[in-house]
Amino acid sequence: MTARRRGKAPSQADVARLAGVSQSAVSRVISGNAATARIPEDTRQRIFQAVRELGYVANPAARAMRGKRTNLLGVHTFERVFPHAREDFYFEFLLGIEERAEETGFDLVLFTSTGSGGSGERGERKIYKDGTNRLNMADGSILLGVSTDRGELARLWYEGYPFVHIGRREVPGAEIPQVVPDYRGASGAIVDRLAELGHRRLGYVREWLEMEPYEDRRAGYAEAVERLGLTDESPGFRGAHGIEADWLDEVAGGAATAIVVESVRLAESLRDQLAARGRKIPDDVSVAVLEAAPADLSGQWDSLVIPRTEIGRIAVDRLQAMLDDPDQRTGSLLVPCPLIPGTTVAAVGD
Amino acid sequence: MTARRRGKAPSQADVARLAGVSQSAVSRVISGNAATARIPEDTRQRIFQAVRELGYVANPAARAMRGKRTNLLGVHTFERVFPHAREDFYFEFLLGIEERAEETGFDLVLFTSTGSGGSGERGERKIYKDGTNRLNMADGSILLGVSTDRGELARLWYEGYPFVHIGRREVPGAEIPQVVPDYRGASGAIVDRLAELGHRRLGYVREWLEMEPYEDRRAGYAEAVERLGLTDESPGFRGAHGIEADWLDEVAGGAATAIVVESVRLAESLRDQLAARGRKIPDDVSVAVLEAAPADLSGQWDSLVIPRTEIGRIAVDRLQAMLDDPDQRTGSLLVPCPLIPGTTVAAVGD
DNA sequence: AGGAGGTGCTCATACGTATGAGCGCTGATG
DNA sequence: CATCAGCGCTCATACGTATGAGCACCTCCT
């Protein structure tokens, strides 16, 4: 047995010939909705018989060309999808996207071709490459990651391409549809909890990045501090990055009883530097982290859960809603991030 | 500023109108090879200008229909790609596939739509679903995973669709192109090593599965035992699955000095049951595992490395070779699996 | 008998791209 | 001046599918 030589898959026309009907009859039977197709059972059977005999399968490209959906859902990540390190970032989003795509009968296109040419480059990916946008290969796309070039997003939006961005990204003049973890709310909730436990003087340690997800955290924190009438004079609260030694000395002296930190990395550093000053967490200072702690550290830091899988699923659903109703240009959707208790926050004076 | 309303992406015809040329001129400039297109520089520029102005991008469906490449590389997994168990099977293969696809300018399409309808099902995916084979949306595909239905593979091969299977899978009558970890060679090498260390009486513990990858291991092991004139009367060697208590008693009594095990899972069970009989690894019995140990156990078990990333890359390259030369119907390619030393194999009598 | 309405299809065309064939023009050559 | 080659395009068509329009035939009703 030898493979049929690569030429010509059978078409509807072939099927039609074999069944002794016209091509359009075949089309009607195979894919036409039963309503418009008034074809009696015996003809149907003859056609299906011919289909089986020839091993006919519909050509999706041709089908797509008739203005039907391609049933392809694009996924554009601004960095490599399967990274060596930091695999946790994309992975869970993709998990949800894949699940939901499968459930709704879509295939996923991972756009990788838009890397910046040479292989050794920074791995940063662009949507538009030499004036061509591969994204509309798919019915719509989910965008994911750290998009440095907002112009691209603006253009995509302007062109009316249906897409959903995961994570908040503000682009002036464009109201891009996005699914956003509610860092702001979660940060506020963490402050609420600290206040409940009797903490009045707080501190804040911020990362170096100036992107929206961090802005949200900072806003939520500042808002809650204000609302509850707490005090914070930490450098991070005023905009300084990282941990300052002077301030640590003050904290060790009791200037703050609870500290909110933007990342596990910084929290660990904080822990070590406090330890060096003879202060323990949570006995002397409570610490909460505004990030999802990795699985092996979960249950340790008081932190938050980013429901990434759920966000991926939601993004798919919103995209599909946009496809079904093109006029529906929805804005942001906030997804709550529950707090997860750990062992680094305690009531004041315990 | 409002988004362009979602009607009709611009076509070559639109570009042509704007540039004042014919559609075919546009086609020639954009995608025709320079040889056949005798279009002077200024017209080219005018056309490209119009392309930019309209944001034209080629319709892949139409292009595919004309028999051109879509630059889409299919990935069909017979189970879900992003499983919950993270260290899983697929991840590293995909890593390599993605890297290589990016380097060679292909996008990846993950075929998820072929799941068996309802969401709660077994998650087993089919290639052919209600008479349509979505795979030929892509230029070619990489198949990956535990394909239960060999008929599908046979049919795909018969139809001349270009694909590469990762992992060995025998289909009678079809010579399917595949990239295969050399379990057979690795198993032999492990026996070689044991023999070098003075072991003469071996044992073998097999998994329950009867699929090719395990057959390869068993063949390699049996072959080496025979070749080196060693002895093995273990139940696993004769075909029994799992670990038998009677035999364990014999081993504890010195019937075998080294045992080759098909999985870490079984090896751990073996270790515990030997311990219960007062025997230690490797002091009393050496144990080697014919599987890649998870990262956190690496350096512990004597085991082997499955170069998954590399295999993914190779699969992409082979597929591309097939695309470039459709007559090239290559068979299996073996990829060596190096042994990785651990602490569970020792010289006899140490 | 004549019309209405239904059945079982076929015809023709559109979708967007690629490409072989060919047409009108210009400049060079014999 | 006639011929010819090359240039710069256009024309026409094919790819496979979906679908509105319509045709021929039949049945039923008045």
Side-chain angles (χ1 to χ4, degrees):
Chain A
M1 171 170 164
T2 171
R4 177 168 68 215
R5 273 302 162 220
R6 197 96 203 72
K8 315 281 94 256
S11 69
Q12 287 186 354
D14 300 320
V15 174
R17 241 178 324 266
L18 183 57
V21 295
S22 73
Q23 175 264 325
S24 46
V26 175
S27 172
R28 300 204 125 91
V29 166
I30 289 181
S31 47
N33 42 7
T36 62
R38 309 171 303 190
I39 311 262
E41 198 50 31
D42 55 341
T43 310
R44 288 186 117 74
Q45 289 312 321
R46 230 173 342 122
I47 289 175
F48 281 127
Q49 175 56 36
V51 163
R52 275 189 298 273
E53 199 156 323
L54 295 178
Y56 165 83
V57 316
N59 177 335
R63 189 169 273 185
M65 233 189 60
R66 267 310 309 234
K68 291 286 239 190
R69 301 274 183 81
T70 51
N71 273 338
L72 291 178
L73 210 60
V75 177
H76 181 91
T77 60
F78 290 92
E79 296 92 22
R80 197 161 272 178
V81 175
F82 304 103
H84 282 283
R86 291 290 307 146
E87 76 184 40
D88 18 317
F89 186 72
Y90 289 126
F91 191 86
E92 288 184 50
F93 289 123
L94 289 169
L95 190 71
I97 293 172
E98 189 198 17
E99 280 180 8
R100 197 72 190 118
E102 173 166 355
E103 288 165 13
T104 54
F106 273 72
D107 290 318
L108 252 37
V109 183
L110 263 42
F111 289 102
T112 69
S113 71
T114 44
S116 41
S119 51
E121 310 256 346
R122 257 278 283 105
E124 192 175 293
R125 291 175 174 171
K126 300 185 88 63
I127 297 174
Y128 292 91
K129 185 172 182 183
D130 43 52
T132 174
N133 159 13
R134 297 261 305 160
L135 284 200
N136 48 17
M137 190 85 97
D139 294 337
S141 289
I142 293 176
L143 271 43
L144 195 54
V146 185
S147 50
T148 50
D149 185 349
R150 281 160 208 242
E152 289 203 306
L153 286 183
R155 177 167 170 195
L156 201 59
W157 180 81
Y158 175 72
E159 285 177 356
Y161 181 82
F163 70 99
V164 172
H165 193 278
I166 288 188
R168 194 161 75 82
R169 197 101 332 161
E170 261 1 283
V171 178
E175 189 188 339
I176 75 181
Q178 44 197 249
V179 182
V180 183
D182 186 11
Y183 295 125
R184 183 173 187 143
S187 303
I190 273 189
V191 175
D192 281 343
R193 171 126 189 286
L194 291 172
E196 274 171 26
L197 291 173
H199 295 277
R200 307 264 107 206
R201 285 162 293 123
L202 309 188
Y204 191 88
V205 178
R206 67 162 75 187
E207 273 285 346
W208 298 86
L209 291 165
E210 288 298 343
M211 301 202 334
E212 285 90 339
Y214 292 102
E215 290 170 8
D216 288 348
R217 291 170 167 91
R218 290 157 199 169
Y221 175 81
E223 214 170 65
V225 164
E226 164 105 39
R227 170 166 47 81
L228 299 170
L230 308 180
T231 65
D232 179 354
E233 295 297 335
S234 69
F237 186 61
R238 297 189 308 270
H241 302 295
I243 305 173
E244 296 188 356
D246 291 355
W247 178 66
L248 274 177
D249 292 336
E250 292 175 26
V251 172
T257 61
I259 303 180
V260 176
V261 187
E262 285 187 351
S263 71
V264 171
R265 191 180 68 84
L266 281 172
E268 286 172 344
S269 165
L270 177 65
R271 182 221 321 151
D272 297 342
Q273 297 190 54
L274 282 175
R277 288 169 175 76
R279 293 291 173 267
K280 286 188 66 182
I281 300 172
D283 308 324
D284 303 308
V285 184
S286 287
V287 173
V289 180
L290 296 182
E291 183 183 59
D296 51 334
L297 294 183
S298 116
Q300 177 172 340
W301 294 102
D302 275 73
S303 56
L304 47 84
V305 172
I306 304 173
R308 293 199 172 100
T309 308
E310 187 57 22
I311 288 175
R313 299 176 62 95
I314 292 175
V316 172
D317 285 336
R318 302 210 95 195
L319 187 52
Q320 304 227 27
M322 290 177 58
L323 295 178
D324 292 339
D325 176 10
D327 293 329
Q328 178 172 342
R329 288 216 143 247
T330 50
S332 290
L333 176 69
L334 278 182
V335 181
C337 296
L339 305 189
I340 179 168
T343 58
T344 56
V345 166
V348 119
D350 264 16
Chain B
M1 169 171 163
T2 171
R4 176 170 74 213
R5 274 300 164 222
R6 192 91 208 82
K8 310 278 100 252
S11 70
Q12 287 186 353
D14 299 320
V15 174
R17 244 183 316 274
L18 183 57
V21 294
S22 74
Q23 176 264 326
S24 46
V26 175
S27 173
R28 300 204 125 89
V29 166
I30 289 182
S31 48
N33 44 7
T36 62
R38 309 171 303 188
I39 311 263
E41 199 49 31
D42 55 342
T43 309
R44 290 183 118 72
Q45 289 313 323
R46 227 172 346 122
I47 290 175
F48 281 128
Q49 176 56 35
V51 163
R52 275 190 298 272
E53 199 156 321
L54 294 177
Y56 165 82
V57 9
N59 176 333
R63 183 170 277 188
M65 235 186 60
R66 276 298 318 222
K68 282 291 233 192
R69 300 272 184 84
T70 53
N71 273 338
L72 289 178
L73 211 59
V75 178
H76 181 91
T77 60
F78 290 92
E79 298 92 20
R80 200 160 272 179
V81 175
F82 302 102
H84 282 89
R86 148 170 331 200
E87 71 290 349
D88 187 82
F89 196 67
Y90 288 126
F91 190 84
E92 289 184 52
F93 289 122
L94 290 168
L95 191 70
I97 292 172
E98 190 199 16
E99 280 178 9
R100 197 70 192 119
E102 174 167 354
E103 288 165 14
T104 54
F106 273 71
D107 288 319
L108 251 36
V109 22
L110 262 42
F111 289 103
T112 69
S113 70
T114 45
S116 41
S119 52
E121 309 256 344
R122 256 278 282 105
E124 191 174 294
R125 292 176 175 172
K126 299 186 88 63
I127 297 175
Y128 293 91
K129 184 170 184 187
D130 43 51
T132 175
N133 162 12
R134 300 261 307 157
L135 286 200
N136 44 24
M137 207 70 149
D139 294 337
S141 288
I142 293 176
L143 271 44
L144 196 56
V146 185
S147 50
T148 50
D149 184 349
R150 282 161 207 240
E152 290 202 308
L153 286 183
R155 179 169 172 192
L156 202 58
W157 180 80
Y158 175 72
E159 286 178 355
Y161 181 82
F163 70 98
V164 172
H165 192 278
I166 288 187
R168 194 160 76 80
R169 199 101 328 163
E170 264 356 288
V171 178
E175 189 188 337
I176 75 181
Q178 44 197 250
V179 182
V180 183
D182 186 10
Y183 295 125
R184 184 174 187 141
S187 303
I190 274 190
V191 175
D192 281 343
R193 170 125 189 286
L194 291 172
E196 272 171 27
L197 291 173
H199 296 279
R200 307 266 107 203
R201 284 162 293 122
L202 310 187
Y204 191 89
V205 178
R206 67 162 76 187
E207 274 285 347
W208 298 86
L209 291 166
E210 289 296 344
M211 301 201 332
E212 286 91 340
Y214 291 102
E215 290 170 9
D216 289 348
R217 290 170 167 91
R218 290 154 199 171
Y221 175 81
E223 215 171 64
V225 165
E226 163 105 39
R227 171 165 47 78
L228 298 170
L230 308 179
T231 66
D232 180 354
E233 295 297 336
S234 69
F237 185 60
R238 297 190 307 271
H241 302 294
I243 304 173
E244 298 189 353
D246 292 354
W247 178 67
L248 273 177
D249 292 337
E250 292 175 28
V251 172
T257 61
I259 302 180
V260 176
V261 187
E262 284 186 351
S263 70
V264 170
R265 192 181 67 85
L266 282 172
E268 285 171 343
S269 164
L270 178 65
R271 182 224 312 149
D272 297 343
Q273 297 190 54
L274 282 176
R277 287 169 174 77
R279 294 291 174 267
K280 285 188 66 182
I281 298 173
D283 307 325
D284 304 308
V285 184
S286 287
V287 173
V289 181
L290 296 182
E291 184 182 57
D296 50 334
L297 293 183
S298 116
Q300 177 171 341
W301 295 101
D302 277 74
S303 56
L304 47 83
V305 172
I306 305 173
R308 292 199 172 102
T309 308
E310 187 58 21
I311 288 175
R313 299 177 61 97
I314 291 174
V316 173
D317 285 336
R318 303 209 92 192
L319 186 52
Q320 304 227 24
M322 291 177 58
L323 294 178
D324 292 338
D325 175 10
D327 292 330
Q328 176 173 345
R329 287 213 145 252
T330 51
S332 290
L333 176 69
L334 279 180
V335 181
C337 296
L339 305 188
I340 179 168
T343 57
T344 57
V345 166
V348 117
D350 265 15

